[in-house]
Amino acid sequence: AGAVAPLTALFVTMLALTNYCLRHVDVSFYQILRSLVIPFNIAIGFAVFGHLPSANASLCCVVVMVGFLLGSVSELNFSQEGFIFGVLSSVTVALYSVSVKKVLPVVAGDTWRLMHYTTMLGLLMLAPAIFFTGEWSGAVASGKLSSPWFWLAMSMTAVVGFLINIAYFALIKFGSPLSTHVTGCTKSALQTVLSILIFGNRVSFMNCVGIGLTLVGSALFSLERYLERQRTEYS
């Protein structure tokens, strides 16, 4: 558990910085700042593991980043505080994914075991923050704590969050932190496509170009990684 504690502290810091960023900027601007995770991840991955992606894979990452930026552009409300928190959040997200890759051997590659450790340690670290930030008194005053619908929504959120974290750990275990973040950009693009198809959300031409670039760049990145593995196996 001692080896996992710094990882959990990084996770808690990441959550805090993300929430503070969203307090100061809208979601579109946050998504643009989130695209910085890819270059930060490449830099941190090189510093920790001494490995850089190939030129073709790096070019695919650039396409994904540009597409993600264009797909997120709308009427942006710039905030200096939000920008600072967003950049720091991107750094911690990149650090967290690289740290997960580094800590996995400590738990013999068992993602469930790592999840249990981070969940329990995260509860211990976050519990005091509930009181220090005044969230507990606000929750009590709202009267929502006695509502069964509140606890149902919280329970469903917890289950979904747990499953997402397991999938996140598995992606890093069988792939790489960089592949995980490229996949995350693809997920955001597909969410936008689904919102258009299901809810009829309006998007600009620039947003459509960005979504297309993200999906194409992600597909090319996956193809390049597959070809790299093939070349490694036959060399």
Side-chain angles (χ1 to χ4, degrees):
V4 182
L7 177 67
T8 308
L10 195 58
F11 174 71
V12 172
T13 304
M14 178 182 71
L15 288 179
L17 289 172
T18 299
N19 288 334
Y20 276 114
C21 175
L22 288 171
R23 272 180 79 179
H24 296 282
V25 300
D26 56 23
V27 176
S28 297
F29 194 75
Y30 167 71
Q31 294 281 41
I32 289 176
L33 292 173
R34 230 184 83 186
S35 68
L36 296 174
V37 172
I38 291 178
F40 284 143
N41 189 270
I42 292 174
I44 295 170
F46 176 71
V48 175
F49 299 113
H51 177 264
L52 283 174
S54 66
N56 288 339
S58 299
L59 181 60
C60 294
C61 288
V62 172
V63 174
V64 172
M65 279 184 58
V66 172
F68 198 65
L69 287 169
L70 294 176
S72 302
V73 168
S74 61
E75 296 181 1
L76 303 177
N77 298 315
F78 179 81
S79 163
Q80 184 176 357
E81 295 86 354
F83 177 79
I84 293 172
F85 282 126
V87 172
L88 291 176
S89 172
S90 296
V91 173
T92 54
V93 169
L95 274 171
Y96 178 69
S97 60
V98 173
S99 298
V100 168
K101 188 74 172 180
K102 192 173 182 181
V103 171
L104 271 170
V106 177
V107 293
D110 190 338
T111 54
W112 285 96
R113 186 178 170 191
L114 181 60
M115 188 68 222
H116 288 311
Y117 278 133
T118 53
T119 300
M120 296 307 298
L121 291 172
L123 285 172
L124 293 175
M125 293 180 184
L126 284 171
I130 297 174
F131 299 97
F132 294 148
T133 58
E135 288 189 15
W136 174 254
S137 57
V140 173
S142 69
K144 297 289 186 181
L145 294 180
S146 59
S147 169
W149 293 109
F150 170 80
W151 289 108
L152 177 62
M154 290 292 288
S155 299
M156 291 176 63
T157 302
V159 171
V160 173
F162 185 84
L163 294 175
I164 289 174
N165 278 332
I166 283 292
Y168 184 79
F169 288 164
L171 276 170
I172 294 175
K173 176 183 177 180
F174 296 108
S176 69
L178 180 59
S179 299
T180 302
H181 294 305
V182 171
T183 303
C185 291
T186 309
K187 180 199 71 174
S188 297
L190 289 174
Q191 282 177 334
T192 305
V193 172
L194 288 174
S195 69
I196 297 170
L197 296 175
I198 297 174
F199 302 109
N201 290 0
R202 294 183 178 181
V203 292
S204 66
F205 173 75
M206 194 69 73
N207 294 146
C208 292
V209 172
I211 293 168
L213 283 175
T214 301
L215 295 176
V216 170
S218 301
L220 291 175
F221 179 85
S222 300
L223 177 61
E224 176 60 24
R225 281 302 174 93
Y226 171 76
L227 293 175
E228 286 177 3
R229 286 195 298 270
Q230 292 292 101
R231 288 193 291 267
T232 302
E233 290 176 2
Y234 290 109
S235 61

